Amino acid sequence: MYSKNGEEDAVKWATLVMLLFVIFLAPYVWSRRTSKERVRKRKLPPGRRGLPLIGDSFSWYNAVAGSHPPQFVEQQAQMFGKIFSCSLFGKWAVVSVDPTFNRFIMQNEGKLFQSSYPKSFRDLVGKNGVITVQGDQQRKLHAIASNMMRLDKLKFHYLEDIQLVMLQTLTNFEKNQVVFLQDVCRKVAINLMVNQLLGVSNESEVNEMALLFSDFVDGCLSVPINLPGFAYRTAMKAREKIISKINKTIENRRQEGASEVGNGLLGRLLEEENLPDDAVADFIINLIFAGNETTAKTMLFAIYFLTQCPKALQQLLDEHDSLRSNSTEGQMLSWQDYKTMSFTQCVIDETLRLGGIAIWLMREAKEDVVYEDFVIPKGCFVVPFLSAVHLDQSLYKAARTFDPWRWLDPENQEKRNWRSSSFYSPFGGGARFCPGAELARLQIALFLHYFLTTYRWVQIREDKMSFFPSARLVHGFPIRLITRRPICDKPKEDDSGTQN
């Protein structure tokens, strides 16, 4: 039996424990409980479900197939706020036109969110593609691509090669020839990519690659039905042929030996990195796809916008004619020449703002994500709609007007930083920031230089933009080319003192 004193001691200890619990543990337990209650009270952002199964998919596609992709999301944002929910592609989705939340999503890639693409896209770019792969492998492949396209490597590995491709592809047009500029830009971009990635410059191979990638791109957002007559099957066949060509190039590079293996990015990849051949092939096809889409369409849209804005065209032409007049005949542009293209950079920035290829991103919540008063449940589809921010009238004056001079305004300088800005992100952000952004800008600038200083043109049919199934001009932008002068000659003056 316990003594009376023992019983008193036990009571004292029990009282002390209870007191400590009240002082130290109860607030913690209560805060956890109330925190859970607050989370339960939070819910998905407001929105609508739309039609059964279909949801708002038709409204979404109708908008992105037009010349103003954010039309649908702008309407929803007016009703429900800048972060709203809707039903897309048979799945409940949270869509954002809020720049701060968009950046939050991109910065938390691999932590709270992961990339999420339709089956057709995943199948085509490949399981080892840097665009779709997750986790450590994504970080490794992204680091490889970023390292191989650093600014210092652009000067020594790409600057001259890009200009040689421009000379090769922009000198074969006859006097007054009518061309579809969309096809011309696609060929230029494919030529650039297979030259720089694979070290291939044979014209017939370039033409074949251009056709294959045209089929490949058209199938990326198609219904994944692998039957004859469907875009998905055509695209998968094109992928097989592209992969076969890449593997053949890999084999040839290895047979040539160490002294030749460094030609093109593929050569350096084989020489410097330890990747299996299937990963190398997917890696290359991802870079060709991403580079071709960004570069070709931005070249095309830049000429399209400039055609509609003669004042900007003339100022850009003056900048490039000045470079030509200050160089020796036949001499290629230097890195310093490129760095002096200040108005060219404004034109590129404005083209990417109005006609950027990455109009939205596709992400999925890896866990329940609490943001402000909302909870985004694990597995929910999340769509940062970048184009809606780029065309927001509250952020950009006359947002739907092509105005490259806006980027000279001191008020827009912070927005203009496309590496870190929440308001201007044409190359994405976070762990999936486009590793070839600088290379793409260099290619576009040099294309504008050689195209503008060589040709004048007349648009022969009205055209408009569409962003589905990929960014394009609906009629291919047919123009009649008029030669200003041989492509490597210095500008000459006529009797009136104006340049021709």
Side-chain angles (χ1 to χ4, degrees):
M1 296 180 64
Y2 292 106
S3 68
K4 184 176 180 181
N5 288 338
E7 290 176 355
E8 290 177 352
D9 290 342
V11 170
K12 288 180 181 179
W13 277 108
T15 303
L16 181 61
V17 169
M18 288 291 292
L19 184 63
L20 289 173
F21 175 80
V22 170
I23 295 173
F24 295 105
L25 298 180
Y28 172 75
V29 172
W30 179 257
S31 68
R32 287 288 299 267
R33 180 181 175 184
T34 54
S35 176
K36 289 180 180 179
E37 288 178 352
R38 285 197 298 268
V39 169
R40 281 198 295 269
K41 289 179 181 178
R42 290 188 175 107
K43 55 185 178 181
L44 270 174
R48 66 180 193 184
R49 289 192 176 274
L51 298 172
L53 298 178
I54 298 172
D56 288 306
S57 299
F58 285 153
S59 298
W60 180 281
Y61 281 128
N62 285 338
V64 300
S67 57
H68 185 55
Q71 181 177 1
F72 168 73
V73 298
E74 287 172 350
Q75 293 169 352
Q76 300 302 298
Q78 287 176 1
M79 292 188 287
F80 303 114
K82 289 193 171 184
I83 305 174
F84 62 91
S85 56
C86 62
S87 178
L88 295 175
F89 324 119
K91 191 173 183 179
W92 199 237
V94 171
V95 181
S96 169
V97 300
D98 179 88
T100 303
F101 185 48
N102 288 353
R103 182 159 179 78
F104 173 80
I105 295 168
M106 291 186 284
Q107 292 299 315
N108 281 283
E109 167 69 35
K111 303 170 189 173
L112 301 178
F113 304 95
Q114 63 184 11
S115 65
S116 177
Y117 293 96
K119 172 178 167 53
S120 55
F121 188 88
R122 297 195 308 271
D123 290 346
L124 284 163
V125 299
K127 64 179 181 180
N128 297 302
V130 67
I131 297 174
T132 56
V133 75
Q134 309 286 352
D136 291 340
Q137 185 69 355
Q138 186 274 332
R139 287 186 283 274
K140 176 182 178 180
L141 295 177
H142 190 276
I144 292 172
S146 299
N147 178 58
M148 292 186 169
M149 289 180 273
R150 295 196 318 262
L151 268 176
D152 59 322
K153 295 196 175 183
L154 299 188
K155 302 178 189 180
F156 301 109
H157 292 296
Y158 298 110
L159 182 62
E160 184 176 336
D161 286 346
I162 293 171
Q163 294 182 78
L164 289 173
V165 169
M166 296 301 173
L167 292 171
Q168 176 185 346
T169 54
L170 296 178
T171 56
N172 299 324
F173 301 117
E174 299 176 1
K175 185 177 181 181
N176 294 325
Q177 182 175 345
V178 174
V179 300
F180 288 91
L181 189 63
Q182 189 158 264
D183 293 337
V184 173
C185 291
R186 181 184 292 121
K187 182 177 178 180
V188 169
I190 282 289
N191 199 325
L192 287 168
M193 297 311 293
V194 299
N195 176 276
Q196 291 158 14
L197 296 179
L198 302 178
V200 173
S201 58
N202 181 280
E203 185 171 0
S204 64
E205 290 188 49
V206 169
N207 289 338
E208 186 178 0
M209 274 287 204
L211 292 173
L212 290 172
F213 262 94
S214 179
D215 290 339
F216 179 93
V217 170
D218 286 346
C220 283
L221 295 178
S222 64
V223 179
I225 299 177
N226 197 14
L227 293 174
F230 286 87
Y232 174 80
R233 183 181 179 87
T234 303
M236 288 299 289
K237 291 291 184 183
R239 172 186 160 82
E240 290 175 10
K241 293 178 182 178
I242 294 168
I243 292 291
S244 176
K245 289 181 176 298
I246 293 173
N247 288 335
K248 184 177 180 181
T249 305
I250 291 173
E251 183 181 348
N252 290 340
R253 286 284 179 269
R254 285 180 172 143
Q255 289 177 351
E256 288 169 358
S259 62
E260 299 293 333
V261 80
N263 294 338
L265 186 145
L266 173 62
R268 294 197 297 279
L269 189 64
L270 296 174
E271 195 172 40
E272 299 170 16
E273 306 293 341
N274 183 27
L275 293 174
D277 286 359
D278 60 342
V280 170
D282 278 351
F283 183 80
I284 293 294
I285 205 171
N286 273 239
L287 295 186
I288 295 177
F289 166 72
N292 177 59
E293 279 297 285
T294 301
T295 305
K297 302 306 168 57
T298 309
M299 289 173 181
L300 172 68
F301 287 163
I303 299 299
Y304 172 70
F305 292 135
L306 289 166
T307 304
Q308 299 173 337
C309 186
K311 181 181 176 183
L313 175 59
Q314 187 58 54
Q315 183 167 334
L316 186 65
L317 185 57
D318 290 343
E319 179 170 275
H320 287 277
D321 274 343
S322 175
L323 290 173
R324 291 288 291 268
S325 64
N326 292 332
S327 64
T328 304
E329 183 174 345
Q331 181 180 348
M332 290 189 181
L333 296 179
S334 66
W335 186 256
Q336 185 57 40
D337 290 330
Y338 170 62
K339 299 304 289 184
T340 62
M341 297 179 185
S342 57
F343 190 66
T344 303
Q345 298 302 325
C346 291
V347 168
I348 293 173
D349 282 330
E350 185 69 348
T351 300
L352 289 168
R353 186 188 69 82
L354 275 177
I357 310 309
I359 58 176
W360 77 77
L361 304 177
M362 300 179 183
R363 298 292 183 265
E364 182 180 303
K366 294 182 66 177
E367 58 187 69
D368 289 354
V369 178
V370 177
Y371 186 84
E372 295 183 348
D373 294 327
F374 307 128
V375 170
I376 302 169
K378 179 180 179 180
C380 185
F381 194 38
V382 183
V383 185
F385 210 104
L386 307 182
S387 177
V389 177
H390 296 166
L391 298 174
D392 188 335
Q393 298 282 0
S394 68
L395 295 174
Y396 296 101
K397 183 179 178 181
R400 295 180 65 178
T401 301
F402 180 74
D403 179 10
W405 297 277
R406 77 172 73 245
W407 298 110
L408 300 175
D409 187 338
E411 292 184 0
N412 285 328
Q413 289 310 300
E414 187 174 349
K415 294 177 187 173
R416 192 181 183 183
N417 188 342
W418 41 268
R419 288 188 176 277
S420 60
S421 174
S422 299
F423 308 103
Y424 181 59
S425 43
F427 297 104
R432 291 190 182 274
F433 179 84
C434 176
E438 292 283 7
L439 175 59
R441 295 180 71 93
L442 175 62
Q443 292 171 335
I444 295 160
L446 293 175
F447 168 80
L448 290 173
H449 173 77
Y450 284 102
F451 190 78
L452 265 64
T453 57
T454 306
Y455 299 106
R456 289 185 292 118
W457 64 91
V458 177
Q459 184 178 347
I460 62 176
R461 182 178 181 179
E462 289 297 315
D463 219 329
K464 63 180 181 178
M465 294 188 295
S466 171
F467 290 84
F468 183 80
S470 62
R472 61 195 174 96
L473 290 175
V474 173
H475 301 299
F477 202 57
I479 56 175
R480 186 181 304 277
L481 294 176
I482 303 163
T483 304
R484 295 181 75 222
R485 56 179 169 269
I487 198 165
C488 282
D489 286 353
K490 292 191 297 182
K492 299 178 181 179
E493 295 188 352
D494 59 23
D495 294 337
S496 64
T498 59
Q499 291 181 340
N500 296 310

